[in-house]
Amino acid sequence: MWKKQKYWNPVMETLSHDKIRDLQLRKFRKIFEWSYERSKFHRALYDKAGIRPHEIRSFEDIRRIPTVEKSMMRDIQRKDPFPYGDALCVPLDEVAEFRQTSGTTGQPVYQADTWQDWEWWSECWSYILWAQEYRPTDRVFLPFGYNVFVAFWAGHYAVERIGAEIVPGGVLDTQARILKIQELRCTAMMATPTYVLGMADTARRMGIDPASLGIRKITCAGEPGASIPTTKKRMQDAWGARVYDHAGATEIGAWCFECSAQSGGLHVNEAFFLVEIQDVETGEYIEEPGRRGKMIITALDRQAQPCIRFDSKDIIEWSNEPCPCGRTFRSITGGVVGRADDITKVKGVLLSPSAIEEVVRGIDGLGDEFEVIVDKDGDIDRITLKVEILKGREGERKQIEAKLKDQLRLKTNLGYILEFHDFGKLPRYDVKAKRFKDLRKH
Ligand SMILES: [Zn+2]
């Protein structure tokens, strides 16, 4: 009968806000003490700040605790206990899983998990899948290269945990994956938005309409696309499926998810994570909805290599809308709206790559691919945007160009050099795309 229930955990997901806050505070104190007692790295950090575990009694006290940056984790690794370094809180023989970050922003960071941590990962993902209406009747295809990266590994185990069926599409190429989905009549899949669109494109070239394949739910991660309305629409239209966003990270865990209400926000899994939002300029903490800042996050239950007040650089904002799904976990509007590192100034104006994506994907007649190059013409910043025109729409180029120019100016307040390419000419990516290049930094 439990399989008919609306929530994966009906108690936790409907707990009153006050009770969730109590639980978070209690869990925080526990993980903080755990790390202080067991890891040299954490003890040195907190001793230096003059903070002891017994002094943590409120959320204000928590804000006095120093944050941890990715670079600090890089500095301690490859030392004893090898290869994780002294942020490790368990003996090496209790480590059951190795993963590492992708290293897109520098040298990869290693991450250790115990078996209990790994169970926690898949429990977090079970909340996600259940909220996105995955049920035991689903047959879920996973088109990702099973590897040292955490990616969809925990999604894989959560499919088993909720009682659905998993089809691991590891080393197959895209065409073989599409044929496998067709052959087995899979009903759901998980991938990056770039790959979801790429697969649709490949299917069409094989003469198969992706919407005919029977995939009805797609869970996205790794890129913000599923929370960018125009990209989401392209994916949903192509596959005839509901496309959901989720955000997670190797060092953090699977901390937020979109639910089947698709209300434009993502729920933070507040049973397992404490999210704080900090103003990037002033350092002030933001409680009110609608104001953006960077996320400081604590994984409240992760033990081997704890994540305590991790400065994620993700830009988010609280929503104040209660979600129609009835979950009491707070939501963030529009998911992760950017990265503190990515948002760059061009001609003195803040530019977020997601804003350009939203415009390009919203224009009928343009392909899914695009590329943005920022460089300098003498002393002046210059942005080139390369787009592809769909086959058969070349004749409408003038109208499409005018619309693109208008929308870009409206949404980003900047002017661009526009380059139109034939469909299929821009680079394609298998996992995460590298569509934004800032050449001024080199
Ligand atoms: Zn909801």
Side-chain angles (χ1 to χ4, degrees):
M1 278 317 282
W2 65 272
K3 288 175 178 173
K4 295 214 171 3
Q5 71 198 24
K6 185 175 174 192
Y7 308 109
W8 174 249
N9 186 327
V11 178
M12 295 308 277
E13 292 178 75
T14 55
L15 217 54
S16 74
H17 184 61
D18 287 349
K19 283 196 172 147
I20 287 179
R21 294 297 271 172
D22 277 355
L23 177 74
Q24 289 181 318
L25 189 55
R26 268 189 289 132
K27 281 189 170 188
F28 187 94
R29 294 175 63 168
K30 217 169 139 192
I31 194 72
F32 187 67
E33 187 175 357
W34 165 274
S35 311
Y36 186 85
E37 296 297 335
R38 289 164 180 255
S39 130
K40 281 187 202 155
F41 167 79
H42 285 100
R43 179 181 287 242
L45 185 67
Y46 305 141
D47 276 348
K48 198 170 161 204
I51 297 168
R52 297 284 151 77
H54 68 270
E55 295 168 6
I56 305 303
R57 295 191 192 89
S58 67
F59 289 101
E60 283 67 41
D61 294 335
I62 291 176
R63 290 172 181 175
R64 291 170 37 227
I65 298 172
T67 56
V68 171
E69 304 228 358
K70 201 174 210 162
S71 59
M72 294 158 82
M73 300 311 290
R74 268 190 207 115
D75 293 344
I76 59 167
Q77 68 185 12
R78 292 169 185 275
K79 294 172 192 155
D80 284 340
F82 187 85
Y84 304 105
D86 55 17
L88 198 68
C89 288
V90 295
L92 270 177
D93 60 7
E94 286 181 28
V95 175
E97 299 282 338
F98 168 89
R99 294 290 183 275
Q100 66 172 65
T101 60
S102 57
T104 34
T105 53
Q107 194 198 335
V109 173
Y110 300 149
Q111 177 71 44
D113 281 309
T114 61
W115 183 249
Q116 197 181 326
D117 290 331
W118 196 243
E119 294 257 21
W120 162 85
W121 260 108
S122 56
E123 178 67 1
C124 293
W125 261 91
S126 299
Y127 278 65
I128 301 172
L129 296 184
W130 206 263
Q132 298 175 352
E133 296 189 319
Y134 285 67
R135 292 296 179 268
T137 44
D138 278 307
R139 179 170 296 140
V140 185
F141 191 79
L142 256 180
F144 98 98
Y146 289 69
N147 203 321
V148 289
F149 310 121
V150 81
F152 293 98
W153 271 110
H156 174 119
Y157 286 110
V159 170
E160 297 175 346
R161 195 178 182 90
I162 67 166
E165 183 181 340
I166 186 82
V167 181
V171 294
L172 304 178
D173 66 16
T174 303
Q175 294 197 6
R177 285 169 173 169
I178 289 163
L179 293 174
K180 192 53 85 181
I181 288 172
Q182 191 176 44
E183 175 192 337
L184 297 176
R185 299 181 191 162
C186 295
T187 58
M189 68 174 191
M190 308 175 193
T192 58
T194 289
Y195 196 60
V196 171
L197 290 169
M199 275 178 98
D201 199 28
T202 304
R204 285 188 209 105
R205 275 186 277 119
M206 294 162 71
I208 298 172
D209 173 7
S212 74
L213 289 168
I215 294 283
R216 291 298 165 256
K217 291 177 280 272
I218 301 174
T219 302
C220 286
E223 296 171 330
S227 280
I228 297 174
T230 53
T231 300
K232 189 188 199 82
K233 186 172 183 313
R234 282 193 176 212
M235 291 191 280
Q236 297 201 140
D237 290 352
W239 287 89
R242 300 190 82 183
V243 173
Y244 297 109
D245 198 10
H246 136 69
T250 317
E251 323 82 311
I252 302 169
W255 60 275
C256 82
F257 59 89
E258 183 173 8
C259 69
S260 58
Q262 293 191 310
S263 60
L266 305 191
H267 289 286
V268 172
N269 189 334
E270 296 189 291
F272 296 121
F273 297 91
L274 172 66
V275 163
E276 303 167 78
I277 306 180
Q278 191 178 28
D279 189 297
V280 177
E281 312 255 298
T282 65
E284 193 188 338
Y285 286 91
I286 301 170
E287 289 293 345
E288 69 270 30
R291 216 176 117 196
R292 288 183 179 181
K294 65 175 177 175
M295 175 173 79
I296 309 292
I297 188 164
T298 300
L300 297 164
D301 304 81
R302 199 176 191 178
Q303 295 190 335
Q305 198 174 320
C307 164
I308 297 178
R309 302 207 80 228
F310 181 67
D311 183 347
S312 71
K313 315 273 188 225
D314 286 329
I315 302 288
I316 57 172
E317 65 179 68
W318 289 119
S319 152
N320 63 348
E321 298 292 326
C323 187
C325 75
R327 284 180 182 77
T328 46
F329 293 162
R330 281 182 291 174
S331 298
I332 52 172
T333 307
V336 174
V337 292
R339 301 259 318 150
D341 317 332
D342 269 5
I343 295 180
T344 166
K345 273 194 173 174
V346 180
K347 297 179 188 168
V349 177
L350 281 177
L351 174 71
S352 142
S354 299
I356 300 177
E357 176 172 336
E358 188 176 352
V359 171
V360 173
R361 299 269 170 83
I363 291 180
D364 188 33
L366 289 182
D368 296 326
E369 283 305 332
F370 63 95
E371 201 169 88
V372 184
I373 296 162
V374 182
D375 62 359
K376 274 186 182 295
D377 180 16
D379 282 338
I380 299 165
D381 291 338
R382 174 170 68 180
I383 326 170
T384 307
L385 171 61
K386 301 180 183 181
V387 292
E388 287 181 349
I389 223 154
L390 290 178
K391 282 202 179 86
R393 307 290 293 269
E394 293 87 353
E396 300 162 50
R397 189 186 138 167
K398 278 227 151 60
Q399 295 92 304
I400 292 173
E401 181 168 354
K403 201 167 169 197
L404 181 60
K405 259 200 173 127
D406 260 16
Q407 286 293 312
L408 284 168
R409 189 159 287 285
L410 197 71
K411 298 269 169 63
T412 70
N413 278 314
L414 286 162
Y416 298 74
I417 297 165
L418 298 178
E419 270 184 26
F420 284 80
H421 294 257
D422 289 341
F423 186 74
K425 291 290 182 230
L426 293 178
R428 260 56 181 172
Y429 301 91
D430 270 356
V431 189
K432 291 194 196 188
K434 294 181 188 71
R435 299 191 182 95
F436 190 85
K437 296 187 179 103
D438 191 345
L439 306 179
R440 298 169 306 174
K441 292 172 183 166
H442 305 293

